[in-house]
Amino acid sequence: MLQPATPPLTRSACEALDAADPLASLRERFVLPESIYLDGNSLGILPRAVADRVAGVVTEEWGRGLIGSWNDAGWIHLPRTAGAKIGRLIGAEPHSVVVADSTSVNLFKLLSGALRLRPGRRVILTEAGNFPSDLYMMQGLAEFAAADIEIRAVEPDELAAALGDDVALLCITQVNYRTGAMHDMRDLTAKAHAVGALVLWDLAHSAGAVELDLAGCGADLAIGCGYKFLNGGPGAPGFLYVSPRLQPDMRQPLQGWLGHARPFDFDPTYEPAPGVDRHLCGTPPVLSMAALDEALAVFDDVPMADLRAKCQAQIDLMLRLIVERLDGRGFSIETPPDPAARGSQVSLLHGEAFAICQALIARGVVGDYREPGILRFGITPLYLRYVDLWDAVDQLVAVMDEQVFLAAEFRERAYVT
Ligand SMILES: *Cc1c(COP(=O)(O)O)cnc(C)c1O
């Protein structure tokens, strides 16, 4: 545990932090839940403008415009228009990001393409604790590929040493979904490039949460998620990034018609579109993509540096409250204390984490549980107040003091945990 700081924090000190918060008014742009919602890292809350946008897409663009809306309402360009907004958020070059498919599918496309750029190398290097879907996609590719592919999965601190001249691709998630630990993109990219390997970053827990500078880091490839910190709604499409350096040579196997150079020529033979567009596959899901596109507008006037500064202050506050008020209750803090080495969540390890999480939800504090033993709280400075963190920890203290988590009702597991 960290050492408690003195003097102890008070709720009114948290209220004072909110009163002085220059980003406080951003909350008004969201449909705020009744709960204290610390799960925006899993499903972001609804930005107010999204409901109207989607209603307009349904009643006007679809209802009246029908097929003409592919051109007139710009439906066909949504992968690029929403992609450009994400590109700005992640420090990507213009025309290097498109929105398409799911994070998992985008991973498959870029994994396959990256391996083709490093013929003669057979290793994909990754982290053993990577998000399972990412590992599964690598395993699927290795099983079905004609070539012999080795997946080398190591601990995070062993990645640099495991980079050898047999590695085609380093494929990792920048912010770990369990612990919230964050890799240094610039450093690992440089180390991978030094042995001739490419790097594919999963930004599922980074985009919209931390400051990113893909262009400045010399990043090669990235994918990310639309429904977490980007607030695009349940099942929102994901995005992918291909560096302009790699775009001319990079291909991918899901060669759907919308990745063709001229889809409406209906040419029987595939010819890849120039640039990042060749990484599109089929028809975009317009309703979800419009929701994501509108949700991204929330970020328009907010510098990521300001959001990140508030996020760090909120994480520090929560960690300090946990140390002050929950010492001796069996929690250990998994989130790195070093601000530069963490993303946007607070993770606590506890043997009863699942039941504690359920008991907290029953008291209006929504976090989530991840196997094994992790209680996870997403920090979303767009709409979280400092006082929310005080109240959340206050409820956690009550749950522990009253041992409510021991009740049978908090031990039942639904399909989604
Ligand atoms: C959330 C998440 C995904 C989700 O992938 P989907 O295809 O959208 O289900 C993938 N990778 C990581 C690291 C994630 O955190």
Side-chain angles (χ1 to χ4, degrees), residues 102-105 130-131 133-134 173 177 202 204-205 225 227-228:
S102 66
T103 309
S104 305
V105 171
N130 201 346
F131 189 74
S133 194
D134 295 35
T173 301
Y177 75 103
D202 186 334
H205 292 274
C225 186
Y227 50 79
K228 292 173 179 160

Side-chain angles (χ1 to χ4, degrees), residues 277-298:
D277 285 357
R278 65 181 60 173
H279 300 280
L280 298 175
C281 182
T283 306
V286 170
L287 300 183
S288 335
M289 228 175 252
L292 172 60
D293 184 63
E294 193 61 46
L296 290 166
V298 172

Side-chain angles (χ1 to χ4, degrees), residues 16-195:
L17 288 171
D18 286 320
D21 174 11
L23 303 182
S25 65
L26 287 170
R27 283 170 61 74
E28 289 154 23
R29 300 182 68 172
F30 291 89
V31 177
L32 295 167
E34 278 171 25
S35 59
I36 296 174
Y37 191 71
L38 301 174
D39 222 352
N41 54 327
S42 203
L43 176 64
I45 71 175
L46 172 64
R48 277 189 194 283
V50 168
D52 280 349
R53 169 78 179 270
V54 172
V57 172
V58 171
T59 54
E60 295 299 319
E61 296 177 15
W62 179 15
R64 290 175 201 272
L66 285 169
I67 198 150
S69 290
W70 282 109
N71 287 315
D72 300 342
W75 286 353
I76 198 69
H77 296 305
L78 271 172
R80 288 171 279 273
T81 44
K85 292 177 185 168
I86 295 175
R88 278 198 302 278
L89 267 184
I90 64 174
E93 300 87 344
H95 311 295
S96 60
V97 177
V98 281
V99 170
D101 305 312
S102 66
T103 309
S104 305
V105 171
N106 288 330
L107 181 67
F108 182 83
K109 294 189 288 190
L110 295 194
L111 276 173
S112 315
L115 290 178
R116 281 237 324 201
L117 293 184
R118 289 295 178 271
R121 297 183 179 220
R122 47 183 292 275
V123 175
I124 302 173
L125 177 62
T126 190
E127 200 184 313
N130 201 346
F131 189 74
S133 194
D134 295 35
L135 297 171
Y136 302 160
M137 296 311 281
M138 293 177 216
Q139 291 160 14
L141 180 67
E143 262 178 61
F144 281 78
D148 183 24
I149 295 169
E150 179 196 333
I151 299 162
R152 189 177 293 162
V154 304
E155 293 307 311
D157 55 352
E158 297 166 354
L159 284 167
L163 277 166
D165 59 11
D166 55 351
V167 175
L169 180 69
L170 170 61
C171 178
I172 46 173
T173 301
Q174 190 191 17
V175 175
N176 185 280
Y177 75 103
R178 294 182 73 250
T179 63
M182 182 166 81
H183 288 294
D184 182 333
M185 179 179 285
R186 190 179 303 274
D187 178 57
L188 271 175
T189 301
K191 285 176 174 149
H193 287 176
V195 300

